[in-house]
Amino acid sequence: MSERTFYITTPIYYPNDKLHIGHAYSTTVADTLARYKRLQGYDVFYLTGTDEHGQKLQRKAEAAGKDPQSYIDGIVSWIQRLWERLDISYDDFIRTTEPRHKTVVQEIFTRLVSQGDIYLADYEGWYCTPCESFWTERQLHEGHCPDCGGTVELVREPSYFFKMSKYADRLIAYYEEHPEFIVPESRKHEMLNNFLRPGLEDLCVSRTSFSWGIPVRENPEHVVYVWLDALTNYITALGYLSQDPILRERFEHFWPANVHLMAKEIVRFHAIYWPIFLMALDLPLPKQIVAHGWLLMKDGKMSKTKGNVIDPNLLIDRYGSDALRYFLLREIPFGQDGVFTPEALMERLNFDLANDLGNLLHRSLSMLGQFCEGVIPAAGTITALEEEVAALAVQSAKQVEEALDRYDFAGALSAVWNLVRRGNRYIDETAPWALAKQQDVNRLGTVLYTVFEALRVISVLLQPFMPKTPHKMWEQIGIEPGEFTTWASAKQFGLLPSGIQSRKGDPIFPRLDVRAEVEALDQMMDQKQGASIVSEQVQGSSTTEIPAAEKADAEMTGVAQLIQIEDFTKVDLRVAQVIHAEAIPKADKLLKLQLDLGTEKRQVVSGIAKYYAPEQLVGQKVILVSNLKPVKLRGVESNGMILAASVGEQLVLATVSGDIPLGAKVK
């Protein structure tokens, strides 16, 4: 295996039903890593596919009145179409019903029998058909499957067994010698404490009570246990034991895998069964088993029985694949569980994509067209302000790489958005419209060049995450894909040639009507309580930091206290800009902000330290309740209150366009 190869896999999906947005998360994460490594110059092989055997599928097909293969074919076509629409750039899609897989599984089984790792005996124990998992009596949770909580069946049948205990100590030693083998580390402790150290029992690796599987060559009434069958796809797809010399060379080139990526509920199979099977075959183990959390709904894990799943195709239809990819990668801290809500999706699409990125590109192109006939000017005299933007751009590229190397996708996108927001603040600070009015051609050229060079760097850094968006940006800016769009080019500021003719188009991320979109999303999820969700969002869009007692009353009733229009007109809302922010000692939740209202400066204390670092706030244009009676918080005077929207554990500042002057009244 070359040092410049990168082999990544996602679990091959079990096509007993159509996939939901949670499944799309795994595949999007893997695709982002694959694209990132390709941009870095690696020879990448990205594998996904479908695991098509087992008792569960046979029963599903029978219930549908079809043979298993016909039943599965329709679902697999749907899955492949979804991955195409989500821009998943896999290099191979393997189906475990393919001959290239089945023949190698049979050969592997024969080898393991011949070397004494698999033996024939009688099995009696508990089996969970939905999870295709065997369990001992002590592993059951109150008589049910510990993974899914479903009913287990007592199975009695002749079976082949794998000698798991033979390799347990060797696997424990491998964990200790390779602390990076399982990510996050908490999963490693789970494997050690719950499975390995209590003692591994021999694993049943064949079934005779159903026929939909790969037959054991020497004993055809047995079919290979689905997890021994499925896990070997990672090597059969590469060409392990192939008669084709080109495929055998491919296996030598890419194995061992760099990353097996999966959701946390199937770590046990990948971190215990799979390494032991590989040890028995005398093959190197994958470099890392990487587990992510679940994408949850408000009422828990997505489940067809709960009726709380959402079809990713519907989201792609409405918002586009890049918007969905951005939400999944930005909203969920990798390795932890995330929550999907219509409100959270709207915040990301409206605030991050429309207000920040879309606004930066569109307003920059508008000014370029108005002041320079759409042609990117040459930079004139460079000031400390431009040097700051350039340094942030180079720093952002470095931070993106560092974050992706540790699987921090949200952190990587946050680094990109620091540059996006700095670009918007830079425009506000330099006021190109004023420079044009003053006919300061030198300074105007410098400012506009700096903005578009920042946009170029942003577009390059977005490539692994949002495949379509960079090309849309390049088309409007006038950049041809090439030397100025390579990954390495993001690490240098000032490469964009002057004289490029831009082609302004429609905003790449138009602003959405929150009420209409949340209602539509509720309908997608087939919920009957859309009105209450819309009400929560509308209230949240104007929520400030209210006393705990009032907040509790509002949550109990589900409706904020109604007011008259006369009450609202008493509130004086003004546009203000944050010019300085700092933490307040011994106050973990509070930040002290200095605001510029154009005609005066104000000091405000705000409880947003949990959600914003001080440096993120400087330059932001916020909405200030300017006629609020002054109060002291932790001994610090606060003259007003800034508005923020809150949903659950999230809080986002209410901001305004950079074109709105300071002190403007918000009506």
Side-chain angles (χ1 to χ4, degrees), residues 159-210:
S159 299
Y160 284 93
F161 289 81
F162 188 100
K163 295 180 180 178
M164 301 295 286
S165 55
K166 175 181 174 182
Y167 295 93
D169 289 343
R170 182 174 164 187
L171 183 56
I172 292 172
Y174 189 88
Y175 279 14
E176 293 171 349
E177 294 164 6
H178 300 82
E180 75 292 345
F181 180 56
I182 302 176
V183 177
E185 191 175 6
S186 59
R187 300 295 167 207
K188 179 179 73 175
H189 296 313
E190 180 186 345
M191 298 301 107
L192 286 168
N193 298 331
N194 294 355
F195 299 101
L196 285 169
R197 287 183 177 135
L200 283 179
E201 297 189 8
D202 289 353
L203 177 68
C204 177
V205 290
S206 76
R207 301 291 305 277
T208 57
S209 56
F210 64 94

Side-chain angles (χ1 to χ4, degrees), residues 352-484:
D352 295 7
L353 297 184
N355 282 9
D356 291 340
L357 178 61
N359 182 50
L360 176 61
L361 176 64
H362 198 68
R363 69 192 296 211
S364 299
L365 287 165
S366 296
M367 289 185 293
L368 189 68
Q370 184 178 354
F371 306 141
C372 300
E373 299 182 341
V375 177
I376 295 176
T381 304
I382 302 297
T383 72
L385 201 54
E386 285 73 53
E387 291 175 352
E388 179 196 338
V389 173
L392 179 62
V394 174
Q395 180 187 22
S396 297
K398 179 182 178 182
Q399 290 174 337
V400 168
E401 287 194 337
E402 290 173 346
L404 286 176
D405 288 341
R406 62 176 184 269
Y407 310 115
D408 182 5
F409 302 94
L413 282 168
S414 179
V416 179
W417 250 253
N418 285 339
L419 183 57
V420 172
R421 290 177 177 136
R422 187 67 189 91
N424 276 312
R425 292 200 308 272
Y426 174 75
I427 291 174
D428 297 339
E429 292 163 352
T430 55
W433 49 90
L435 296 173
K437 189 174 182 180
Q438 297 162 10
Q439 297 185 349
D440 190 344
V441 177
N442 182 287
R443 184 68 184 145
L444 179 63
T446 299
V447 169
L448 290 177
Y449 179 86
T450 301
V451 169
F452 279 95
E453 175 63 349
L455 280 164
R456 182 193 67 83
V457 173
I458 290 164
S459 70
V460 171
L461 295 178
L462 285 178
Q463 290 179 92
F465 311 96
M466 305 167 71
K468 290 186 172 73
T469 298
H471 291 273
K472 292 179 180 178
M473 295 176 68
W474 298 337
E475 183 178 354
Q476 293 202 17
I477 295 170
I479 301 174
E480 293 294 332
E483 61 178 312
F484 307 121

Side-chain angles (χ1 to χ4, degrees), residues 119-179:
Y119 62 92
L120 185 62
D122 291 322
Y123 175 77
E124 179 174 334
W126 299 99
Y127 190 73
C128 174
T129 298
C131 293
E132 300 286 7
S133 300
F134 294 101
W135 300 103
T136 64
E137 187 77 38
R138 66 176 174 79
Q139 290 173 327
L140 297 180
H141 181 66
E142 297 180 352
H144 291 80
C145 173
D147 274 356
C148 71
T151 303
V152 292
E153 303 173 60
L154 185 63
V155 176
R156 296 184 181 90
E157 60 188 47
S159 299
Y160 284 93
F161 289 81
F162 188 100
K163 295 180 180 178
M164 301 295 286
S165 55
K166 175 181 174 182
Y167 295 93
D169 289 343
R170 182 174 164 187
L171 183 56
I172 292 172
Y174 189 88
Y175 279 14
E176 293 171 349
E177 294 164 6
H178 300 82

Side-chain angles (χ1 to χ4, degrees), residues 176-437:
E176 293 171 349
E177 294 164 6
H178 300 82
E180 75 292 345
F181 180 56
I182 302 176
V183 177
E185 191 175 6
S186 59
R187 300 295 167 207
K188 179 179 73 175
H189 296 313
E190 180 186 345
M191 298 301 107
L192 286 168
N193 298 331
N194 294 355
F195 299 101
L196 285 169
R197 287 183 177 135
L200 283 179
E201 297 189 8
D202 289 353
L203 177 68
C204 177
V205 290
S206 76
R207 301 291 305 277
T208 57
S209 56
F210 64 94
S211 59
W212 183 242
I214 299 175
V216 174
R217 188 180 291 161
E218 296 78 13
N219 204 345
E221 67 270 21
H222 289 256
V223 295
V224 177
Y225 171 49
V226 67
W227 275 106
L228 176 56
D229 164 6
L231 287 165
T232 55
N233 89 91
Y234 300 132
I235 54 177
T236 60
L238 283 182
Y240 178 66
L241 298 183
S242 172
Q243 299 302 309
D244 186 334
I246 295 176
L247 292 180
R248 289 201 304 271
E249 183 180 346
R250 185 171 73 178
F251 175 75
E252 295 295 331
H253 183 61
F254 284 107
W255 190 259
N258 296 80
V259 177
H260 284 324
L261 180 79
M262 71 212 63
K264 60 185 179 181
E265 74 270 17
I266 57 172
V267 171
R268 174 169 59 98
F269 305 103
H270 287 80
I272 296 178
Y273 294 1
W274 181 227
I276 286 178
F277 295 157
L278 290 169
M279 287 176 176
L281 294 170
D282 197 26
L283 289 174
L285 271 56
K287 293 183 177 181
Q288 278 193 322
I289 307 293
V290 180
H292 62 76
W294 291 330
L295 180 58
L296 307 174
M297 305 299 281
K298 285 184 176 180
D299 53 351
K301 186 182 178 185
M302 291 188 188
S303 164
K304 288 286 286 185
T305 57
K306 286 185 178 181
N308 66 351
V309 299
I310 185 165
D311 182 350
N313 276 299
L314 298 178
L315 297 176
I316 295 170
D317 288 340
R318 197 169 187 91
Y319 308 115
S321 58
D322 273 13
L324 176 56
R325 288 173 65 111
Y326 177 81
F327 171 78
L328 293 173
L329 295 166
R330 183 71 189 274
E331 187 69 17
I332 305 169
F334 190 78
Q336 304 175 33
D337 292 341
V339 179
F340 176 88
T341 65
E343 300 89 346
L345 179 62
M346 286 303 100
E347 285 180 5
R348 289 299 180 194
L349 269 56
N350 258 356
F351 285 94
D352 295 7
L353 297 184
N355 282 9
D356 291 340
L357 178 61
N359 182 50
L360 176 61
L361 176 64
H362 198 68
R363 69 192 296 211
S364 299
L365 287 165
S366 296
M367 289 185 293
L368 189 68
Q370 184 178 354
F371 306 141
C372 300
E373 299 182 341
V375 177
I376 295 176
T381 304
I382 302 297
T383 72
L385 201 54
E386 285 73 53
E387 291 175 352
E388 179 196 338
V389 173
L392 179 62
V394 174
Q395 180 187 22
S396 297
K398 179 182 178 182
Q399 290 174 337
V400 168
E401 287 194 337
E402 290 173 346
L404 286 176
D405 288 341
R406 62 176 184 269
Y407 310 115
D408 182 5
F409 302 94
L413 282 168
S414 179
V416 179
W417 250 253
N418 285 339
L419 183 57
V420 172
R421 290 177 177 136
R422 187 67 189 91
N424 276 312
R425 292 200 308 272
Y426 174 75
I427 291 174
D428 297 339
E429 292 163 352
T430 55
W433 49 90
L435 296 173
K437 189 174 182 180

